[in-house]
Structures are given as C-alpha cells and as structure tokens.
Amino acid sequence: MSFDTTLYMTAVITLFVIMDPPGAIPVFLSLVGRKSKEARNRAAWQAPLVSLAVITVFAIGGQAILNYLHIGIPALQGAGGLLLLLIALELLTGRDANQPRGTEDVNVALVPLGTPLMAGPGAIAAVIVFVNQAEGHSGAPLAVGLAILTIHLILFVVLRFSTVLIRLLGVSGISLLARIAGLLLAAIAVQLIADSVRGFIAGG
C-alpha cells in the first residue's frame, strides 16, 4: 500500500485554508483571554479534540448520510463551494462583528470554538469530498486520515501558543494571513463549483 502524498498535501492545505488556524487566534483570545492560564491551556486542546471528533464522524459516516438523503457528490460540491465562498468573502472583507464573546459559565471549547468555528460546514463538506475521492485508491484513506490529524495538531499548537503568536505577528499580520487565506479559499470554492457543474453535466 503506497501513501498518497499528493492527496495528503492537498487535504492539509485545503483544511488549513478552510479552518484558518491563524484566524482563530483573535476569537480564541477573546473567548478565553480573561480566564486562568490553566483554563486557556485546557481550551486549547479541548477545542481541537471536539473538532476532530465531529470531523471524524462525518469522515466515517458522511457518505452514508448522503446516501440516506439521496444527495449526490456534485450537489455536495456545489453546496460546499457556495459555503466556502461565503467564508472566503468574510475573510477577505475582514467581517468580525459577529464574533462571539466568552462567558465564565460556558465551555467555549465545545461551542463555538470546537464547532462551528473549526468543524464548520465547509470543513465537513471538504472532508466528505476527500473521503469520496479516496475510495478505491490504495493508501488514499490513510492520507486523508493523517491530513485530518495533522490539521488538528496544527490547531492545537496555534491555540496553545496563541499569546506568543499574537505578539510576533501582531494584529496586522494576522489580518494579512486571513486575507491570503480568503483568496485561496475563494479559488478552492470556485473549483468546487466548477467540478459540481461538470458532475451534473456528466451525470445528466
């Protein structure tokens, strides 16, 4: 069984752009900034763990859900592309007025950090598409699984050391990274929509 390096890198880059670890830093700090160091560290590993659990469920059973609802891959690609385009526009325009604020009596690592900030509809749609592409290819499922683990490890590291990163990058640096991520995400969204149209034409 040969490891599919191309699929692994494609999945990691796509999920990185969608889940946007640098862009999660301001949200994370706004939610846990007033908490103790122990609480911040706990939230830094709990949030990626929740996201990993949600993404894994859809990676394993997502296709069965699609079959039950009679949804085809082209429809999923089209819907996913539109969702990613909306997220990309938010990143490009820097809209953050709807970012949630933390409270002391709510575990923000579960909601909204774990989901929907990390394991959002865009990431879920992308994972289901990657799992579908991996079917029948030796080494491809392992590549997708490792890509999911890799992106969540990156999320943990970024959140765990977010205070250091925010000092190094500054607000302007993080904003710049968010704009670049938005541009790349918009391109991925357009590609998904194009693939969806080709799928409908081929199936029609």
Side-chain angles (χ1 to χ4, degrees), residues 2-197:
S2 59
F3 183 75
D4 194 334
T5 304
T6 301
L7 180 59
Y8 169 77
M9 293 303 301
T10 302
V12 169
I13 293 173
T14 301
L15 290 175
F16 184 90
V17 172
I18 295 173
M19 302 177 83
D20 189 21
I25 294 175
V27 181
F28 177 76
L29 293 179
S30 69
L31 291 170
V32 303
R34 295 189 300 271
K35 298 180 181 292
S36 65
K37 181 179 179 180
E38 291 75 16
R40 291 197 301 269
N41 293 341
R42 184 167 60 250
W45 66 261
Q46 283 182 339
L49 187 62
V50 170
S51 175
L52 177 61
V54 173
I55 292 294
T56 300
V57 167
F58 277 93
I60 295 174
Q63 189 60 56
I65 296 174
L66 292 181
N67 292 337
Y68 178 77
L69 297 176
H70 304 289
I71 299 174
I73 291 300
L76 176 65
Q77 289 175 321
L82 292 175
L83 287 171
L84 300 189
L85 189 58
L86 291 175
I87 298 173
L89 292 176
E90 291 184 3
L91 291 174
L92 287 170
T93 57
R95 194 182 77 183
D96 58 358
N98 60 347
Q99 288 181 352
R101 298 186 181 276
T103 57
E104 295 299 326
D105 57 345
V106 175
N107 188 354
V108 296
L110 304 180
V111 179
L113 286 176
T115 182
L117 180 63
M118 295 180 186
I124 291 172
V127 166
I128 294 177
V129 171
F130 280 125
V131 170
N132 181 76
Q133 292 176 351
E135 289 184 358
H137 298 279
S138 177
L142 177 61
V144 174
L146 287 179
I148 293 173
L149 289 175
T150 299
I151 190 61
H152 284 90
L153 179 60
I154 293 173
L155 282 166
F156 165 71
V157 172
V158 168
L159 295 186
R160 178 64 177 79
F161 299 101
S162 60
T163 303
V164 177
L165 289 175
I166 198 100
R167 286 201 298 262
L168 292 176
L169 297 176
V171 176
S172 298
I174 294 174
S175 297
L176 176 61
L177 288 177
R179 299 301 190 279
I180 295 174
L183 180 60
L184 294 174
L185 184 56
I188 294 173
V190 171
Q191 185 63 55
L192 276 175
I193 294 174
D195 292 341
S196 172
V197 172

